[in-house]
Amino acid sequence: MVKGRNVEVPDHFRIHVADRLSRLERFDPSIYLFDVELFHERNRRQRKSCQRVEITARGKGPIVRAEACADSFYAALEQAADKLESRLRRGKDRRRVHYGEKTPVSVAEATADLGDRSLGRPITDGAASEQEMDPDDYAGPGHIVRTKVHPAAPMSVDDALYQMELVGHDFFLFHDRESDRPSVVYRRHAFDYGLIRLA
């Protein structure tokens, strides 16, 4: 799905996007949708990075996302597709069974102690809902222009770091399995991470 914000998307670019992203399906056959969004920055001072492309891959596993800016949509698409390819390759390597100490725990073992407990949360289809303001209603800096709501299954800190790397953000809000509270992991400057927990 290719859409543009304040941009008309020509048919030849849609064909180019389909050809480029078809090569990424080999990393995860469960991906059912590539959501590609084009955005043109109107500020003349940002001419060298005025074309932005965001690619979101949705499948049975975690959502993988990449974005890039360049002076043309073709260059931005190549950069974003390369980032997405490296994240999908990393995820595929992580799913591969490594024997010895790194053998993953089976789903049956991991959920054996859960029994029939219910968390009391509404069941969603796993997709994030997003509300975005209309560009004409923009009231200037300092206002909330986008709101996202994600389903929050309890996870460990390691899983949250893995999700943060897949999405490509500098932070990740998650429901901590150990403390049963909302927590945030974030990337620090010296290639290490931080963790914020509510008291």
Side-chain angles (χ1 to χ4, degrees):
M1 178 184 287
V2 182
K3 57 186 176 182
R5 272 198 266 166
N6 305 326
V7 174
E8 286 291 327
V9 183
D11 290 336
H12 61 86
F13 190 77
R14 291 179 192 273
I15 294 169
H16 179 69
V17 168
D19 289 342
R20 182 64 177 92
L21 296 182
S22 65
R23 301 179 215 158
L24 302 180
E25 293 174 355
R26 70 179 188 266
F27 295 110
D28 190 356
S30 71
I31 293 176
Y32 61 87
L33 177 68
F34 284 106
D35 191 9
V36 181
E37 191 169 338
L38 310 178
F39 181 73
H40 175 72
E41 178 63 50
R42 295 181 180 172
N43 189 346
R44 292 181 183 174
R45 294 180 182 175
Q46 297 181 354
R47 238 178 290 159
K48 293 182 180 177
S49 61
C50 63
Q51 314 292 4
R52 186 176 68 181
V53 175
E54 295 179 5
I55 306 173
T56 306
R58 301 182 188 275
K60 289 184 180 177
I63 294 174
V64 184
R65 187 178 160 277
E67 69 177 77
C69 298
D71 57 349
S72 72
F73 282 123
Y74 286 96
L77 175 69
E78 288 301 318
Q79 292 174 13
D82 289 342
K83 288 180 185 178
L84 190 69
E85 182 175 348
S86 74
R87 289 176 184 154
L88 287 171
R89 182 179 286 123
R90 208 177 319 148
K92 182 179 180 181
D93 186 51
R94 184 180 172 126
R95 285 190 306 269
R96 195 180 330 154
V97 175
H98 299 279
Y99 294 98
E101 295 177 3
K102 297 182 181 179
T103 304
V105 179
S106 70
V107 176
E109 288 178 49
T111 58
D113 62 337
L114 294 178
D116 292 332
R117 286 189 305 175
S118 173
L119 295 175
R121 292 190 182 87
I123 297 174
T124 60
D125 61 351
S129 61
E130 179 178 340
Q131 296 176 349
E132 188 165 337
M133 301 286 291
D134 188 16
D136 298 333
D137 296 341
Y138 183 66
H143 297 282
I144 296 174
V145 295
R146 181 185 288 184
T147 303
K148 291 186 178 183
V149 179
H150 294 275
M155 64 177 66
S156 67
V157 175
D158 289 337
D159 291 337
L161 288 171
Y162 174 62
Q163 294 279 344
M164 180 182 75
E165 291 294 334
L166 282 179
V167 175
H169 287 174
D170 292 330
F171 67 94
F172 188 78
L173 174 66
F174 69 103
H175 185 129
D176 193 356
R177 187 185 305 147
E178 295 173 11
S179 64
D180 197 32
R181 295 175 186 266
S183 302
V184 174
V185 290
Y186 61 95
R187 184 178 290 114
R188 294 173 52 88
H189 296 294
F191 301 107
D192 50 1
Y193 301 101
L195 174 65
I196 299 174
R197 284 188 173 135
L198 293 179

